[in-house]
Amino acid sequence: EAMKDLLGGKGAGLAEMTHSGVNVPPGLTILTSCCRQYTENSQKMPDGLFDEVMAELVHVEKKVDRQLGDLKKPLLLSVRSGAKFSMPGMMDTILNLGLNDQTVESLTHLTSNARFAWDSYRRFIAMYSSVVLEISKDSFEDLLEDLKDELDIESDADLTVEHLKKLVDQFKALVEKRVGKPFPQDTKEQLKGAVEAVFRSWNNSRAIYYRNLNKIDHNLGTAVNVQS
């Protein structure tokens, strides 16, 4: 119970599984108290928190022999919320964090699968932009559907590597147009943005509505699980 208070349900579960020797992808959990500080501090990251996250991440990088932003062996991360009480689908998640114009090429080499790498990259841009930069998911879906119409194809699976690269360019252009600056290529900046977005999502309208409905305390805050 005390662990759930600090680590959230997901973080406590991951910690318990790791402790009992289950093979869990290594990661780190940012405490629920940090979310409360973030909210009280008019949505500013508590002092020194991000430096601590980067320091802890080094242990994760060593365990998996990959590094965030590395051009040979890039580490990709999932960034997920995790509150004391389960709130399915109410808060935000970001997957494949760490992809950028360079590491997408590294992922291609590592997996010998260019289509997988570029498909992951376009999904990451859409997911990150929706959660962190607050650009509607529909804007990206529209670009995808327009391209499929133009090519006269039904399924996303029929998109080739070249099509996916074109989509990535269109997605990045959309981001630049909406927020006035390019999609972040710096993987540290990506991580910082994602952590803050999960903190913010504790107070999005869906989450508040869900907590009111289920009589969950609004002051608990969410933990952030950063996992390889």
Side-chain angles (χ1 to χ4, degrees), residues 85-220:
F85 300 104
S86 177
M87 293 171 52
M90 296 301 121
M91 290 177 295
D92 292 317
T93 291
I94 295 164
L95 305 174
N96 288 325
L97 187 138
L99 281 174
N100 61 21
D101 294 351
Q102 267 87 42
T103 55
V104 68
E105 300 290 0
S106 320
L107 189 62
T108 298
H109 294 309
L110 276 174
T111 57
S112 311
N113 189 337
R115 196 186 177 287
F116 167 72
W118 284 92
D119 196 36
S120 300
Y121 190 26
R122 66 107 183 162
R123 288 167 190 272
F124 168 60
I125 293 174
M127 198 180 251
Y128 188 93
S129 302
S130 147
V131 171
V132 181
L133 307 174
E134 295 172 356
I135 302 169
S136 148
K137 278 190 189 111
D138 299 342
S139 313
F140 297 99
E141 285 297 321
D142 291 346
L143 288 172
L144 173 63
E145 291 308 320
D146 289 348
L147 181 62
K148 278 160 51 180
D149 289 345
E150 190 188 310
L151 297 165
D152 198 25
I153 58 178
E154 291 287 311
S155 161
D156 293 5
D158 295 328
L159 294 166
T160 66
V161 174
E162 292 317 309
H163 298 149
L164 291 165
K165 285 182 177 178
K166 182 178 176 178
L167 212 47
V168 162
D169 285 340
Q170 289 181 335
F171 281 13
K172 288 196 301 191
L174 172 72
V175 170
E176 189 142 6
K177 193 171 137 195
R178 292 286 172 86
V179 294
K181 53 184 188 197
F183 183 82
Q185 293 291 317
D186 178 344
T187 52
K188 268 190 194 165
E189 187 193 328
Q190 289 178 0
L191 181 55
K192 189 163 191 266
V195 169
E196 291 197 40
V198 172
F199 284 159
R200 278 200 305 275
S201 74
W202 172 254
N203 284 315
N204 72 28
S205 49
R206 287 195 311 267
I208 289 172
Y209 179 78
Y210 185 89
R211 288 198 297 274
N212 284 336
L213 210 60
N214 293 282
K215 302 191 170 42
I216 296 171
D217 182 355
H218 292 297
N219 296 316
L220 291 170

Side-chain angles (χ1 to χ4, degrees), residues 48-80:
L49 175 63
F50 194 66
D51 296 335
E52 218 177 303
V53 169
M54 291 312 295
E56 283 299 320
L57 193 63
V58 174
H59 302 304
V60 176
E61 292 176 330
K62 284 189 176 133
K63 278 182 192 150
V64 292
D65 188 28
R66 294 186 172 211
Q67 270 179 306
L68 189 65
D70 187 76
L71 297 189
K72 286 209 168 65
K73 294 182 179 170
L75 172 66
L76 300 185
L77 297 169
S78 66
V79 180
R80 292 183 168 97

